[in-house]
Amino acid sequence: MVSAVIGFPRVGKQRELKFASEKYFRGEINKQELEKIAIELRKEHFIYQKEQGITYISSNDFSYYDGILDTAVLLNVVPECYRALKLNELDTYFAMARGYQGAEGDVKALAMKKWFNTNYHYMVPEISDDMKIELVGDKPFVLYQEAKELGLETKPVIIGPFTFLKLAKYQGTKKAKDFAEDMINAYSQLLEGFHKLGVKWVQFDEPILVTDLTGEDIELFEQIYQRLLKRKGNCKILLQTYFGDVRDCYSNIIGIAFDGIGLDFLEGKKNLELVKQNGFPKDKILFAGLLNGKNIWKCNYKNVLEIKKELQEYAEQIVLSTSCSLLHVPYTLDSETKLEQEVKQHFAFAVEKLAEMKELCYLAESSDYTKEQVYLDNQQICESERKYQDKEVQKKTALLEEKDFTRLPKRAERQELQKKVYHLPLFPTTTIGSFPQTQEVKKNRSSYRKGEIDKVAYDKKVFELIHDCIRKQEELGIDVLVHGEYERNDMVEFFGENLAGYIFTEKAWVQSYGTRCVKPPIIFGDVKRIRPITVEYSSYAQSLTDKPVKGMLTGPVTILNWSFPREDISLKEMAYQIGIAIREEVLDLEEAGINIIQIDEAALKEKMPIRKSDWYSGYLDWAIPAFRLCHSGVRPETQIHTHMCYSEFEEIIRDIDNMDADVISFEASRSKLTILDAIKDSEFETEVGPGIYDIHSPRVPSVEELEEVLKKLLTKIDKDKLWVNPDCGLKTRGIEETEASLKNLVEAAKIVREKAEKC
Ligand code: GLN
Ligand code: ZN
């Protein structure tokens, strides 16, 4: 058996590409210097793969920012506003990625969107009616040749025409199908180029095939490929899918003249069944995605080899492949110097996964792999009793019952009681939690981390900052205060550090978008709260003021979604374990006199299953209860808030209401009013604070502007249910603009309140 890799991480082991790009943005290095670093990185990545004997190595998986953006530029899909800047090619590219402000003009970046169910984000191509889609670049050719010069025959990978068209945003009246002709021509030219270079295999990534498709979609897909494949010359074509199964179009794709089909047998629940039911064409190679490209656990060889055996009955030629690009996992365990061996032995990052592929290929050829040493070693680790198992936690989770998820009395009754207890004015003002993370705040944290100051000195500073923050908010006249979150800069790490079962890495960075990388912690064992996490900060803040101070926690679904999860227990169990830990914190806060508690679920929607039919069986059916578990034990007068960072939740509006919070704040300033209609139409019971200005920009909104927003909101939201707040935490903003904006926010609320009270 031979192996294939769908794509390799690009930013570099030490995030070299990130740092080089940022230097380039600041003008500290020039284009040639940046390119030199990129070439070195690509070379390093090719060598890693070559050393492990990977047969089908991808080229063109490298990108300075994002692969979809690369394809847009390659196909001439460059909106006029960027062309008008008249920058060189690379700078135009970066202008599309990051926006541009300079003498040449002022343009915003293209929109950015989450890449399927991952935490990677792609740039959304914008196609206007007058655009001429055609092949204008040569990056895939150049990168192929670069590898060739290193003695490697690679398979160029490129996002497929169908997925590209489906992900693009259309500015005019034309739609995807109106551009099909141009796309076929452009991709034909691409194939012609590959043919001329002697390329043997080309990989077209079509992940959109794992989403719910209409008959029309499938027709368009077939139409494109039936024509395109006539022009493939000597190149063999691999249709690559990942992140799910192809249940809507399996029979269609096996009927098209692809030479290879790549299916994900890990996340693609139905793929195995589809192969069994419909068979697999003899003349095609099955690229079987069996090695997890998304998680960091050592592969269990037994499982892989067993599925492979099953597949063998249907497919004659099988290539062992990753389930998706390795872009979604960190580089290498070699960079982790602090992990204990007992823990470390369970992990495989990108480089280690290559070695696993090599071993698997070897085992697949063995007459009895169960006797091979590498197999036995693997099984020993995979089956061993893991550290950080906690029987007590397991028992607690197993014993949860309906009443643990149900808060009493009913919300309407609670809300009425809370109105009496808190005497908040109409349209109460508040913020989402964090205040600006100034140099001073960051310095305090880094000095503590480096051991330059001790915990006492560190906390002293944090308390000072909290003190000033409370005074500032009182001065501004805000109604429900926050402590400012100076003790954290991350919504998950801070909590994880106080939870047993969590593991932290040093260098396990994963690209989130462009130059931004995240370092998700790992849920290694059963999760349990070790000690109170936020209580001392919140109670100190409350001791300084007569106004209510909101306690500030991250919810279980967000903590889970921003971590690498375990694979030996279900997501539901993990969410419930974390839920119990947060519940303990909620109850401690309440006990300490914090009567308003916000539990953020910024990432609730992030891991929503790709297919609608899976939303309620395997996600929302535990995600919503996990949240309820956190707060069902509080007193009726304790007010529970939640916050979400996106407002595209129209489709699950009832589920959000069903979280049974008393108040929700969310981002609304950018995605406008559709969410408000949904709130109105669904008779949403939770009180709402749609963000009235965008904190992602340093702009200070005027009082008049905010008043207008509030008036608009009042056309859709009941006046006793409306809260007034920015759309997200203020941690990335500067102090000056923050204070100015909040001052205007309070003023606008006051004006609108006075008017409302009069009538
Ligand atoms: N409470 C957090 C903050 O204000 C929420 C952050 C978020 O929604 N991403 O920073
Ligand atoms: Zn937010």
Side-chain angles (χ1 to χ4, degrees):
M1 187 161 65
V2 300
S3 55
V5 170
I6 294 179
F8 202 76
R10 330 142 163 160
V11 286
K13 262 208 303 271
Q14 311 289 342
R15 290 179 291 160
E16 291 88 341
L17 185 65
K18 167 196 171 68
F19 297 119
S21 308
E22 287 171 350
K23 274 190 190 154
Y24 178 75
F25 300 154
R26 290 193 299 263
E28 291 164 21
I29 59 171
N30 63 26
K31 182 165 172 264
Q32 284 72 33
E33 287 165 304
L34 176 62
E35 273 167 359
K36 193 164 157 255
I37 290 165
I39 292 171
E40 276 163 22
L41 284 173
R42 292 196 289 261
K43 184 170 166 192
E44 187 181 312
H45 303 160
F46 285 141
I47 290 172
Y48 280 138
Q49 298 178 73
K50 188 178 169 189
E51 275 173 356
Q52 300 303 336
I54 307 294
T55 310
Y56 299 89
I57 298 175
S58 293
S59 58
N60 198 40
D61 51 349
F62 174 86
S63 173
Y64 278 116
Y65 206 90
D66 164 51
I68 306 293
L69 179 61
D70 294 358
T71 313
V73 170
L74 181 76
L75 297 173
N76 204 29
V77 180
V78 178
E80 193 42 47
C81 62
Y82 303 104
R83 289 182 198 277
L85 296 170
K86 301 221 176 338
L87 302 170
N88 68 37
E89 210 178 302
L90 184 66
D91 291 343
T92 307
Y93 172 88
F94 281 133
M96 292 168 78
R98 313 172 56 238
Y100 186 87
Q101 254 176 340
E104 297 83 355
D106 183 351
V107 285
K108 285 202 189 120
L110 288 175
M112 191 166 71
K113 247 185 156 170
K114 247 169 55 65
W115 181 237
F116 297 88
N117 54 0
T118 72
N119 193 15
Y120 178 76
H121 300 74
Y122 68 96
M123 307 303 304
V124 183
E126 268 175 27
I127 305 185
S128 51
D129 285 356
D130 57 349
M131 238 174 211
K132 176 79 190 133
I133 298 185
E134 58 190 336
L135 184 71
V136 291
D138 60 0
K139 172 179 170 252
F141 306 136
V142 173
L143 268 60
Y144 170 80
Q145 274 170 309
E146 185 182 287
K148 195 90 200 171
E149 276 154 30
L150 295 169
L152 284 180
E153 169 63 29
T154 54
K155 66 171 156 55
V157 15
I158 184 155
I159 197 74
F162 180 59
T163 295
F164 185 88
L165 284 176
K166 289 286 291 179
L167 295 181
K169 197 158 82 184
Y170 297 87
Q171 306 297 70
T173 53
K174 289 193 190 167
K175 294 275 164 282
K177 66 175 182 358
D178 303 309
F179 292 96
E181 191 66 35
D182 284 355
M183 284 296 266
I184 295 168
N185 290 332
Y187 275 73
S188 301
Q189 276 180 347
L190 192 66
L191 285 177
E192 229 166 80
F194 286 142
H195 166 82
K196 278 195 198 130
L197 289 172
V199 170
K200 297 199 171 64
W201 279 86
V202 178
Q203 172 183 322
F204 286 130
D205 282 2
E206 291 285 10
I208 203 85
L209 295 179
V210 311
T211 64
D212 294 324
L213 299 176
T214 63
E216 215 176 301
D217 288 329
I218 297 173
E219 219 173 276
L220 178 62
F221 170 80
E222 286 189 313
Q223 182 203 339
I224 291 174
Y225 277 100
Q226 266 152 2
R227 291 191 36 211
L228 185 56
L229 294 191
K230 290 196 182 114
R231 320 260 289 267
K232 67 181 184 154
N234 290 341
C235 301
K236 291 205 154 94
I237 306 294
L238 164 60
L239 172 75
Q240 185 64 56
T241 66
Y242 37 79
F243 303 144
D245 60 59
V246 291
R247 67 185 81 156
D248 297 333
C249 58
Y250 183 80
S251 49
N252 307 82
I253 61 184
I254 57 171
I256 299 174
F258 296 111
D259 302 280
I261 294 177
L263 300 176
D264 174 352
F265 290 98
L266 301 180
E267 273 193 282
K269 284 188 294 187
K270 290 211 155 104
N271 277 341
L272 183 59
E273 202 180 303
L274 287 165
V275 171
K276 286 183 177 176
Q277 273 167 9
N278 304 282
F280 191 83
K282 284 198 173 25
D283 59 339
K284 298 189 197 313
I285 302 183
L286 175 59
F287 286 71
L290 289 168
L291 206 99
N292 198 328
K294 267 193 181 171
N295 215 338
I296 42 73
W297 299 97
K298 184 159 271 180
C299 165
N300 188 329
Y301 291 173
K302 183 164 181 264
N303 300 345
V304 170
L305 292 162
E306 279 173 4
I307 305 181
K308 192 222 150 210
K309 218 188 231 165
E310 277 188 75
L311 287 171
Q312 246 162 349
E313 289 177 32
Y314 303 89
E316 281 190 7
Q317 304 174 68
I318 299 177
V319 170
L320 172 71
S321 176
T322 52
S323 65
C324 59
S325 167
L326 297 177
L327 176 71
H328 309 291
V329 290
Y331 265 73
T332 172
L333 272 174
D334 277 353
S335 310
E336 302 302 323
T337 58
K338 295 196 181 132
L339 293 178
E340 350 164 40
Q341 189 48 30
E342 205 183 334
V343 167
K344 200 172 176 178
Q345 63 175 354
H346 288 280
F347 301 147
F349 296 173
V351 172
E352 291 75 35
K353 283 179 193 286
L354 301 175
E356 292 188 324
M357 296 193 100
K358 186 174 184 179
E359 291 191 349
L360 279 163
C361 287
Y362 166 79
L363 291 173
E365 304 294 326
S366 164
S367 54
D368 182 0
Y369 63 75
T370 62
K371 301 231 162 58
E372 300 278 353
Q373 195 55 44
V374 279
Y375 181 82
L376 296 170
D377 292 347
N378 175 270
Q379 286 307 288
Q380 201 222 325
I381 294 172
C382 293
E383 320 258 270
S384 66
E385 169 88 3
R386 256 214 237 142
K387 213 178 161 170
Y388 305 120
Q389 303 282 337
D390 192 323
K391 293 263 162 351
E392 207 185 303
V393 174
Q394 292 166 10
K395 199 165 139 207
K396 254 196 209 167
T397 320
L399 290 178
L400 289 171
E401 326 167 41
E402 194 46 43
K403 70 169 183 17
D404 299 308
F405 301 99
T406 315
R407 184 176 173 197
L408 291 171
K410 286 211 179 316
R411 182 162 36 199
E413 205 176 309
R414 276 157 22 209
Q415 284 170 335
E416 204 167 303
L417 178 67
Q418 289 163 16
K419 290 238 186 292
K420 286 190 195 130
V421 177
Y422 300 115
H423 304 293
L424 292 170
L426 202 56
F427 317 136
T429 51
T430 190
T431 60
I432 308 304
S434 58
F435 264 68
Q437 293 259 332
T438 54
Q439 283 313 322
E440 189 188 12
V441 177
K442 289 185 189 154
K443 175 96 204 322
N444 190 41
R445 195 164 30 243
S446 69
S447 306
Y448 177 52
R449 288 254 146 105
K450 284 188 213 138
E452 291 160 14
I453 57 170
D454 62 8
K455 177 86 165 95
V456 178
Y458 169 78
D459 273 340
K460 184 164 173 276
K461 184 82 222 172
V462 172
F463 286 129
E464 262 171 49
L465 290 158
I466 292 176
H467 176 273
D468 296 350
C469 186
I470 294 288
R471 288 290 166 266
K472 189 43 82 194
Q473 293 171 83
E474 285 186 325
E475 229 171 77
L476 286 163
I478 294 175
D479 300 309
V480 173
L481 314 191
V482 295
H483 74 284
E485 299 185 22
Y486 300 111
E487 73 291 352
R488 54 184 112 153
N489 71 339
D490 177 281
M491 292 180 70
V492 174
E493 193 170 48
F494 172 71
F495 286 89
E497 280 167 354
N498 295 290
L499 298 174
Y502 258 93
I503 296 284
F504 295 88
T505 55
E506 289 165 80
K507 293 271 153 57
W509 297 99
V510 178
Q511 189 178 18
S512 171
Y513 62 88
T515 55
R516 178 158 167 79
C517 299
V518 293
K519 192 158 65 67
I522 300 169
I523 305 179
F524 190 85
D526 293 315
V527 174
K528 170 166 97 178
R529 191 181 70 143
I530 308 170
R531 56 185 92 84
I533 307 170
T534 60
V535 179
E536 55 173 342
Y537 301 117
S538 289
S539 359
Y540 173 68
Q542 185 62 82
S543 75
L544 299 169
T545 176
D546 293 333
K547 291 202 169 173
V549 174
K550 259 197 292 193
M552 199 55 64
L553 307 173
T554 304
V557 187
T558 298
I559 293 186
L560 176 62
N561 284 350
W562 283 345
S563 308
F564 284 116
R566 292 163 68 173
E567 285 176 346
D568 58 336
I569 66 171
S570 66
L571 293 171
K572 171 177 165 175
E573 273 173 282
M574 279 178 275
Y576 286 3
Q577 290 185 358
I578 304 169
I580 293 173
I582 298 299
R583 178 189 179 92
E584 290 171 6
E585 184 72 12
V586 166
L587 293 175
D588 277 357
L589 280 172
E590 187 183 53
E591 195 54 41
I594 307 299
N595 299 316
I596 303 186
I597 301 169
Q598 178 173 312
I599 309 167
D600 290 327
E601 281 293 15
L604 181 102
K605 235 187 116 194
E606 202 149 289
K607 296 274 162 77
M608 282 274 282
I610 288 178
R611 290 185 186 272
K612 275 203 177 141
S613 55
D614 297 336
W615 283 5
Y616 293 94
S617 52
Y619 190 74
L620 290 172
D621 53 341
W622 54 258
I624 304 298
F627 182 86
R628 297 170 64 120
L629 177 58
C630 301
H631 69 74
S632 66
V634 300
R635 291 192 281 266
E637 58 273 30
T638 296
Q639 190 171 64
I640 298 295
H641 289 221
T642 188
H643 166 71
M644 287 181 190
C645 278
Y646 42 78
S647 48
E648 286 171 356
F649 48 63
E650 290 90 329
E651 290 168 314
I652 53 164
I653 192 86
R654 284 182 195 283
D655 306 284
I656 307 271
D657 213 17
N658 209 6
M659 289 161 77
D660 205 20
D662 300 302
V663 183
I664 180 173
S665 59
F666 54 85
E667 180 250 301
S669 49
R670 284 189 297 178
S671 15
K672 305 297 173 296
L673 295 171
T674 54
I675 180 69
L676 301 174
D677 287 326
I679 285 178
K680 189 163 187 214
D681 297 345
S682 67
E683 294 173 15
F684 203 66
E685 279 185 30
T686 321
E687 294 179 18
V688 286
I692 63 167
Y693 74 87
D694 177 8
I695 63 90
H696 301 92
S697 143
R699 224 182 126 251
V700 175
S702 67
V703 176
E704 296 71 40
E705 181 183 334
L706 295 174
E707 230 186 292
E708 276 315 301
V709 177
L710 286 173
K711 278 192 208 144
K712 227 186 232 169
L713 293 176
L714 280 168
T715 62
K716 305 281 179 186
I717 296 166
D718 201 7
K719 74 177 178 359
D720 323 300
K721 280 200 160 25
L722 181 65
W723 285 66
V724 177
N725 45 260
D727 69 349
C728 197
L730 302 164
K731 63 175 164 240
T732 56
R733 292 272 62 85
I735 294 211
E736 230 172 274
E737 73 229 30
T738 297
E739 289 182 7
S741 301
L742 291 177
K743 187 163 173 265
N744 291 353
L745 174 143
V746 171
E747 181 61 24
K750 199 171 132 206
I751 297 172
V752 178
R753 184 181 302 139
E754 276 163 10
K755 283 189 191 147
E757 275 164 354
K758 264 188 224 141
C759 50

